[in-house]
C-alpha cells in the first residue's frame, strides 16, 4: 500500500505493493520505547493515513500522518492550514510520524485511572483507545473545537474522554462517525 506518510510503519516513504515485514520492536520510539521482554503486538488498526498497534502490555504505538493529531503527537497545525501546495509538500505538512508510543495516563488525560489500553481503533483523522478502566479516549481531529485550525502544542489538549460512555465492549470507526457498544 501507500507509505507516503509512513502509514506502513516503514520510515522510507516508499510504497509497497507486496506484503512487507515491519519490525515495530526495533523502530518504535527510535529505540527509546523498545519492547520489554515478552511484549508483542496483539492488535492492529489502519486509519486513513495512519496506523496503530496494541501490545500485550497495554501500550499503544501509532505512526503515519499526524496532521490532525491522530498519532497523539503535539505539533503546530498552522503549516498545514496555510500550505497552498499540499501534494508536493505532503510528507512535510502531514507531519509523518514514525512508530511512537501514545502516552495516555492520568497525567496526560485527566479522568483515566490507568495507563493500560485494551483495544485501539483508528478512524479517518483520529484514534480511539479503550482503556483498562473502561474509558474511551480519543486523539486527533476536532478535539479543541472541531475546526482543526487551532494549535495543539500542549499534549494534554489532544486527549478527550467520552465521559458518558463507560464499560464499552466494542468500537467501530467510520470516516466521520464512531459507533460503540456499551454493556
Amino acid at each position: 500500500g501507500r507509505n507516503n506518510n509512513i502509514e506502513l510503519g516503514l520510515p522510507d516513504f516508499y510504497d509497497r505493493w507486496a506484503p512487507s515485514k515491519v519490525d515495530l520492536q526495533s523502530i518504535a520510539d527510535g529505540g527509546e520505547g523498545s519492547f520489554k521482554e515478552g511484549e508483542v503486538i496483539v492488535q492492529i488498526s489502519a486509519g486513513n493515513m495512519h496506523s496503530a498497534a496494541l501490545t500485550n502490555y497495554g501500550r499503544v504505538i501509532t505512526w503515519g500522518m499526524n496532521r490532525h493529531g491522530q498519532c497523539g503527537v503535539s505539533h503546530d497545525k498552522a503549516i498545514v492550514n496555510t500550505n497552498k501546495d499540499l501534494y508536493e509538500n505532503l510528507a512535510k505538512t502531514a507531519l509523518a510520524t514514525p512508530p511512537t508510543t501514545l502516552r495516555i495516563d492520568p497525567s496526560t488525560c485527566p479522568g483515566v485511572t490507568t495507563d493500560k489500553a485494551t483495544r485501539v481503533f483508528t478512524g479517518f483523522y483520529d484514534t480511539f483507545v479503550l482503556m483498562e478502566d473502561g474509558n474511551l479516549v480519543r486523539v486527533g481531529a476536532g478535539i479543541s473545537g472541531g475546526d482543526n485550525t487551532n494549535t495543539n502544542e500542549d499534549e494534554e489538549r489532544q486527549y478527550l474522554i467520552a465521559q458518558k460512555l463507560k464499560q464499552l465492549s466494542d468500537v467501530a470507526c467510520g470516516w466521520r462517525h464512531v459507533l460503540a457498544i456499551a454493556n
Side-chain angles (χ1 to χ4, degrees):
R2 297 296 306 237
N3 194 46
N4 61 325
N5 290 292
I6 314 178
E7 56 263 53
L8 296 178
L10 300 165
D12 58 16
F13 296 97
Y14 295 116
D15 297 341
R16 305 293 198 289
W17 304 111
S20 300
K21 182 178 180 180
V22 177
D23 183 9
L24 289 179
Q25 209 163 3
S26 65
I27 60 176
D29 296 325
E32 294 172 21
S34 33
F35 285 32
K36 298 174 181 153
E37 190 171 331
E39 188 175 21
V40 295
I41 301 292
V42 295
Q43 184 201 348
I44 55 174
S45 185
N48 176 35
M49 287 185 263
H50 72 293
S51 303
L54 174 69
T55 75
N56 60 325
Y57 283 46
R59 178 163 61 136
V60 173
I61 300 166
T62 59
W63 63 93
M65 184 176 83
N66 190 48
R67 183 181 346 160
H68 301 283
Q70 59 266 50
C71 291
V73 179
S74 299
H75 65 274
D76 185 342
K77 295 179 182 175
I79 187 172
V80 174
N81 296 313
T82 59
N83 190 310
K84 303 293 185 234
D85 194 3
L86 184 61
Y87 186 76
E88 182 178 323
N89 297 300
L90 185 61
K92 179 176 76 172
T93 60
L95 301 165
T97 302
T100 304
T101 298
L102 176 58
R103 189 169 155 245
I104 300 175
D105 59 43
S107 71
T108 61
C109 188
V112 299
T113 59
T114 182
D115 64 352
K116 304 272 187 269
T118 59
R119 302 278 306 275
V120 63
F121 312 91
T122 50
F124 197 71
Y125 287 141
D126 42 22
T127 300
F128 292 82
V129 180
L130 191 55
M131 302 302 290
E132 193 173 64
D133 63 6
N135 281 304
L136 181 63
V137 177
R138 176 186 182 206
V139 296
I143 294 300
S144 299
D147 64 3
N148 298 318
T149 58
N150 59 302
T151 298
N152 278 344
E153 292 176 346
D154 180 4
E155 262 186 31
E156 196 171 296
R157 291 186 61 204
Q158 292 200 19
Y159 298 88
L160 179 71
I161 296 179
Q163 295 287 351
K164 295 183 180 181
L165 297 177
K166 297 280 186 181
Q167 302 308 317
L168 301 177
S169 60
D170 203 6
V171 175
C173 298
W175 181 37
R176 293 185 175 184
H177 65 290
V178 177
L179 304 172
I181 298 174
N183 295 329

